[in-house]
Every structure is written in structure tokens, then in C-alpha cells.
Amino acid sequence: MVSKKDLHPHTPGVYRDEPDRDDAASMSSAVLLGDIDSFPDEELPAYEDHPSSSSSLSPDLPFSTHGMNKEEFRTRFPNFSTSASQLETMITAQANAPPPYYVHIHGSHTETRRNNNKETKDKVVDFNFSINLTQYIVPPGHFTRNSAPPIELLPDNVRGFRGTIFPSLNPNVADVEAQDALTSWCERYVADKAKIKSFILKREVINHDQKRVEQLIRSALSEANYRGHVHITFPTTHTSVIVYSPGLINQWRITTWIRWIFYLTFLWVFAWPFLWFMTSRYEVVKSVWQYASSPPGDDMGREPTVLGEVEWFYRWQSAIKRAAIARMVCKDTCLDEEFRLATVAADQRGAQAAANPQPLPSTGNAFADGAFGLLGQGLRVAESFSNARGWGGDC
């Protein structure tokens, strides 16, 4: 299993509460879940009120920018367009870094308010958090053994951008050895006389049974009596690295404020076709990271890289329930291993308490003891009614 020291993408650290949910989950103290039997009062990792830095395993790119969602990274460093060896070294290093991969869990409901004859509907976020899955796509010992990057090159019998404007079968590198194919493509790119050109590395995650994981997470939230709207996605960042050749046009196309001017003034309608027909694109290399050895459905011969989907769910099931019930809103960070281990410890203490229930204290007064017994029964009935009704539904 890959250790935490090996992986740092999207470093977990900050938990942020929605402003109007302070009574549900304090930003400076424990999360109390005592009104649900399976979640006794326990102290979980405290929320912090300041942001923490996040990082990726991807090496830094000189002269680079990236999109707001950090999926596409662009560089116009001149040496990458004039030196095939430097371009190949950079592509190899970037291909050896896995793309940060997450499961994002979002719950919300709609509240309808009526004021006189006017009706307004407000969307309320019940919880919003992510869990980092990157460590489960990295083979054990990948970094300590200096393993070769999981590179796939465009096959000669598949259409693609080979320094062309449109997908094509030519040119190809069928006449060179497989281990030299990347070198050959880098040399072709550098030797290309086109004024505007780009070399693209794609990163992707494959063979993860997202549908199965989504079903399991929904079942956990249902067990927590959540009745709201659940939205589960599997975002990936750092999915592409684009090398642009030096030049004023490519400098403009990766300058953030210039891009925004084109977006807001709709000049991109004219600029996009121009850039498309003027750019020689090399999209011949991919970095492919497998969650398992084969796609979902091939259960007989399918082996997970680190941990199977069902095993991962059982590992995180309690943490997901607790995060949802605590109305956690983590916009910039993920639930981390510390939080998961805290929930495991809390569950163990809760199981021990349930196995050894403490008797009600006796006052020596029969009437008072009877009153305490009736009060306890009433609370249990109210709790059963609340659990049956659920929470987070539209109202």
C-alpha cells in the first residue's frame, strides 16, 4: 500500500462549516452526534479556520498557467520547443505523476418560504466534501522503485493529431523501436517548422467502477436517514499538459486576463477557428493510471491496483456517514486519513459502550426513579420517530 508520505495531491487539512450550520458542527470543537445510537458523543478532528496549501505530485512547469479547475496546465517555455531531449525529459517526469483523483459528495435540499402571497425557494447545502482517491491508482512501491511511467503512445493504426490540424494516420513512427517512439515524436515536434504548434500529454484514470462506488455511498447516506438530493462525481485534475511554441499568439492564448477578455466579449467565436486551423497539434502520448487491472464487469481476473471498490467503501463508510450528519462543507480540502481513523476509534468506543450499558442512577425514591424511566422511554420513542422521518428532505 502506498504510504501517505508518498502522496500529497490536494493535501487535506481544512474543514469549513457553512455559516448557518455552526450549531450542527462547531468550527473549533468536537462534532456531537449523540442523538443517533450508532454515533455516540465523540470528539473528532477539530475544524480549522484558515486555509492550508495543497499540492500535487506533478513537477512544476516553467512559464506555465492553468485553468480555474486545474485540469489543463500550459507552458510556453522555449527550451521545450527547441530541445527534443528537454521536452522528452519533461514529458517523462510529468507522465510519472498520477493525476489527483477524487470522489466528491454533495447533498442539498430545497426550502420553500411563504411570505404573504409570495413563495420563494432556496437551495440549502447539507454537506459538501471530497475524498482523495489518488493513492489507490498508484502501484505499491512505484516511486521507491523508480518504476517506468505508465506511458501509452498513439498506435499507428489509430487516427490522432500527429502534428496535423485534423486527426490523421500519418505521419507515424512504425520504423523505430518502441522504447524510442517518444524520442522520435519529440524530435518531430522540435523539427516542425510551423510557427504555431503544441505538444500535449494527457493523463487519465481507467478501470474504476464509479457506478458501484456511487451506489454504495448512496446506500450509506440512506442508512444515515438522509432524504435530500445527493450528487456524486469523480473529478480529476492535472489531466493535461500542453507545450506551446514561443511566439506572441501562443503567449496571448495562455495569458489569463487576455483569455477572459475574449470570453466576455465573445471574440473567442472568431479566435477559436483561427487558432484551430493555424496550430499543428501533437497529441500522441498519454499517461494511463489503472484503478484495477481490467474494466468493471471482469470480476474473475480483475485485480485492484491497491484496494477494491467494496473494500474502499467499508474503509470509509463510517467517515462518510459522520461527515454528512455533521453537515461538513469542505470546499478546498478533503477528508483525510486522520478523520477516518478518528471515526474508527469513535465507532469502537461506541460498540464497547453499547455492549456494557450503564444502568440508570437510582435516587432511592421510587417515584423519581419511575419518572426517569418514563423520560428515557419517551426520548427513545422520539428518537425512533425522528429516524423514521429522516433529515435533509425538501420542505
Side-chain angles (χ1 to χ4, degrees), residues 103 207-220 232 234 291 296-297 299 302 308-314:
V103 54
N207 298 341
H208 186 208
D209 195 346
Q210 297 179 352
K211 185 176 180 180
R212 177 63 170 157
V213 173
E214 179 177 350
Q215 291 173 343
L216 292 170
I217 293 175
R218 289 182 181 275
S219 69
I232 299 173
F234 296 84
Y291 190 94
D299 296 333
R302 188 171 184 266
E309 289 86 352
V310 176
E311 290 77 13
W312 174 88
F313 170 72
Y314 288 135

Side-chain angles (χ1 to χ4, degrees), residues 259 261-275:
R259 291 169 67 96
I261 289 178
F262 274 74
Y263 292 149
L264 296 175
T265 60
F266 288 91
L267 287 175
W268 64 268
V269 175
F270 305 100
W272 185 84
F274 169 79
L275 292 174

Side-chain angles (χ1 to χ4, degrees), residues 4 56 68 89 122 132 156 182 185 205 237 305 354 360:
K4 288 179 66 180
S56 166
M68 294 181 63
T89 300
D122 298 324
N132 197 330
D156 290 334
L182 179 59
W185 280 117
V205 177
T237 62
T305 299
L360 289 174

Side-chain angles (χ1 to χ4, degrees), residues 82-261:
T82 57
S83 171
S85 61
Q86 291 194 40
L87 175 61
E88 182 180 6
T89 300
M90 183 275 292
I91 292 295
T92 302
Q94 291 289 332
N96 199 40
Y101 182 52
Y102 313 95
V103 54
H104 178 242
I105 306 169
H106 180 275
S108 64
H109 70 273
T110 302
E111 290 185 356
T112 303
R113 294 183 174 88
R114 294 176 177 83
N115 186 9
N116 296 327
N117 294 328
K118 186 177 181 181
E119 183 179 283
T120 59
K121 293 186 177 182
D122 298 324
K123 183 178 180 180
V124 178
V125 176
D126 297 314
F127 49 84
N128 185 21
F129 56 88
S130 299
I131 301 174
N132 197 330
L133 302 176
T134 309
Q135 62 177 319
Y136 303 110
I137 62 174
V138 180
H142 175 79
F143 298 106
T144 57
R145 294 197 306 261
N146 294 321
S147 302
I151 287 179
E152 289 186 7
L153 294 169
L154 182 67
D156 290 334
N157 60 347
V158 176
R159 292 184 179 275
F161 294 97
R162 307 166 181 267
T164 55
I165 298 174
F166 299 102
S168 173
L169 292 174
N170 294 304
N172 58 59
V173 289
D175 56 335
V176 300
E177 296 294 333
Q179 61 267 28
D180 298 326
L182 179 59
T183 302
S184 178
W185 280 117
C186 291
E187 291 173 346
R188 286 178 183 270
Y189 171 77
V190 170
D192 194 329
K193 300 300 183 182
K195 296 295 184 182
I196 305 175
K197 58 184 179 179
S198 65
F199 194 98
I200 303 170
L201 165 69
K202 293 285 189 178
R203 294 191 185 100
E204 63 181 50
V205 177
I206 63 172
N207 298 341
H208 186 208
D209 195 346
Q210 297 179 352
K211 185 176 180 180
R212 177 63 170 157
V213 173
E214 179 177 350
Q215 291 173 343
L216 292 170
I217 293 175
R218 289 182 181 275
S219 69
L221 296 174
S222 179
E223 289 176 3
N225 295 307
Y226 182 65
R227 300 292 184 264
H229 305 281
V230 178
H231 187 56
I232 299 173
T233 57
F234 296 84
T236 307
T237 62
H238 298 72
T239 55
S240 63
V241 176
I242 306 178
V243 176
Y244 286 112
S245 57
L248 186 61
I249 293 179
N250 279 339
Q251 179 180 348
W252 286 0
R253 80 193 297 176
I254 70 172
T255 302
T256 303
W257 67 270
I258 293 180
R259 291 169 67 96
W260 273 108
I261 289 178

Side-chain angles (χ1 to χ4, degrees), residues 288-318:
V288 181
W289 298 83
Q290 298 185 121
Y291 190 94
S293 58
S294 58
D298 184 15
D299 296 333
M300 294 297 295
R302 188 171 184 266
E303 293 291 337
T305 299
V306 176
L307 198 66
E309 289 86 352
V310 176
E311 290 77 13
W312 174 88
F313 170 72
Y314 288 135
R315 185 180 180 86
W316 280 92
Q317 180 180 13
S318 180

Side-chain angles (χ1 to χ4, degrees), residues 14 308 321 350:
V14 179
K321 288 182 180 180

Side-chain angles (χ1 to χ4, degrees), residues 365-381:
N365 185 301
F367 178 79
D369 291 343
F372 281 130
L374 288 174
L375 178 60
Q377 292 179 10
L379 290 175
R380 284 191 290 272
V381 170

